[in-house]
Amino acid sequence: MTSWVAIDFETANALRGSPCSVGLAKVKEGRIVEEWSSLIKPPDGHDHFDAYNVGIHGITADRVRDAPGWPETLERIVQFAGDTPFVAHNAAFDIGVLADACRASGLPVPDLRFACTLVVARRAWTGLLAYKLPVLADALGIELPRHHDAGDDARAAAQVMLAALKRQGTAALDDLLAVHRIRMGSYRGGARQGCKYWGATRREPSPDADPDADPDNPFYGLTICFTGSLPDMTKAVAAKRIAALGAWTSDNVTRSVDLLVVGGIKPHQLAPRATKTGKLAKAERLRDSGHDITVIDDEEFYELLAVAEN
């Protein structure tokens, strides 16, 4: 498995079935050999553009007015990839976009396999505090001209996976996943199996969280802390939503916290001469001492929330 295709989508709104652009980067024998990207006219009923999404990627309804629709785009994606697996950074989101766009268009989800560079990176480079694509690109010396440009993000995701393969000393994607005890994700007959790490014992959700939540969602069993302000959502609402997903909220950063979500920080919220919140500083100290705590920003939190709730 030395050939695969990195894929990235941008969406018009909070609905995952609203792709408005796609980027692809084909890898063979350790190098990128072909790239393709396109704007997409989202499926009917999913084609409104939210200001939040437009602010992230800059794509508007006017720009996609004459773009190919989802059926034509899907055909090109399938032809481009052939029978090779897909790779994406936070693949649960990107493969979810592909699947939901098919459903919104009345099309079957094609059978496919996929691997996630986010899952791989957290096992390959354990010393990083955060694993967003721009953070990884900077840490690994990968050029990322425009984050949230689908073509640039697909190329960067391909380079992250190539760096992980090189670090492990293997050219085969399945060998890399096996070393890190990561399961390849798939769609078969419309049924999804996620790409995930199988090396840790599954934790039970907090008594305050929903015990019947989907254990395959990215928040299940986690203890989460928030610092700063979330756009368009109070922390109380965020805590309620993640509780429904089997997670629990902590008011402070302790060794029981798995995930710190960093929202917007206003200068008056910081201590004198401080450049970061106390919670973030403590998370960094815990990370330096060997505690496995992940830090994400509000944008990534919303992306994971969209994956988990759909």
Side-chain angles (χ1 to χ4, degrees), residues 62-214:
D62 285 341
R63 288 187 59 191
V64 303
R65 194 175 307 279
D66 298 320
W70 179 248
E72 301 96 314
T73 303
L74 177 64
E75 182 178 0
R76 180 66 189 270
I77 291 171
V78 171
Q79 290 176 346
F80 190 95
D83 60 356
T84 61
F86 289 101
V87 160
H89 198 73
N90 189 12
F93 174 78
D94 292 287
I95 302 303
V97 170
L98 187 153
D100 282 9
C102 288
R103 297 185 183 107
S105 303
L107 300 172
V109 181
D111 288 351
L112 55 85
R113 296 166 296 153
F114 62 92
C116 181
T117 51
L118 180 61
V119 175
V120 169
R122 284 174 174 160
R123 310 263 57 92
W125 295 282
T126 57
L128 298 180
L129 186 64
Y131 292 87
K132 285 190 65 178
L133 188 57
V135 174
L136 278 172
D138 183 65
L140 300 175
I142 293 169
E143 184 179 358
L144 179 55
R146 293 170 297 171
H147 183 37
H148 291 302
D149 174 273
D152 287 350
D153 282 353
R155 185 187 315 112
Q159 291 171 328
V160 167
M161 189 63 86
L162 287 170
L165 288 162
K166 182 177 180 180
R167 180 179 178 86
Q168 190 58 44
T170 180
L173 187 57
D174 49 357
D175 289 344
L176 175 68
L177 299 181
V179 166
H180 291 298
R181 301 177 69 182
I182 296 170
R183 179 184 70 190
M184 177 79 75
S186 67
Y187 264 94
R188 287 289 182 270
R192 183 185 71 89
Q193 175 177 271
C195 173
K196 61 189 304 180
Y197 171 57
W198 283 109
T201 302
R202 182 180 296 281
R203 295 173 54 179
E204 293 300 318
S206 161
D208 296 327
D210 184 356
D212 297 321
D214 177 9

Side-chain angles (χ1 to χ4, degrees), residues 183-257:
R183 179 184 70 190
M184 177 79 75
S186 67
Y187 264 94
R188 287 289 182 270
R192 183 185 71 89
Q193 175 177 271
C195 173
K196 61 189 304 180
Y197 171 57
W198 283 109
T201 302
R202 182 180 296 281
R203 295 173 54 179
E204 293 300 318
S206 161
D208 296 327
D210 184 356
D212 297 321
D214 177 9
D216 205 28
N217 85 70
F219 293 114
Y220 186 89
L222 299 185
T223 298
I224 301 172
C225 184
F226 294 90
T227 186
S229 303
L230 297 174
D232 303 319
M233 188 187 303
T234 65
K235 291 179 183 177
V237 169
K240 184 177 180 179
R241 289 173 70 172
I242 64 170
L245 297 167
W248 181 73
T249 302
S250 172
D251 291 332
N252 299 297
V253 172
T254 66
R255 286 190 173 275
S256 66
V257 171

Side-chain angles (χ1 to χ4, degrees), residues 4-69:
W4 37 271
V5 170
I7 188 168
D8 183 84
F9 287 104
E10 299 298 328
T11 58
N13 52 66
L15 299 173
R16 282 190 300 176
S18 66
C20 59
S21 69
V22 62
L24 301 170
K26 182 180 293 183
V27 171
K28 287 186 177 182
E29 303 297 336
R31 64 187 185 92
I32 296 173
V33 296
E34 186 179 357
E35 298 182 55
W36 177 76
S37 62
S38 177
L39 293 173
I40 306 168
K41 188 175 182 179
D44 291 343
H46 291 62
D47 52 353
H48 61 281
F49 278 74
D50 286 348
Y52 178 80
N53 294 65
V54 173
I56 289 175
H57 51 58
I59 301 170
T60 63
D62 285 341
R63 288 187 59 191
V64 303
R65 194 175 307 279
D66 298 320

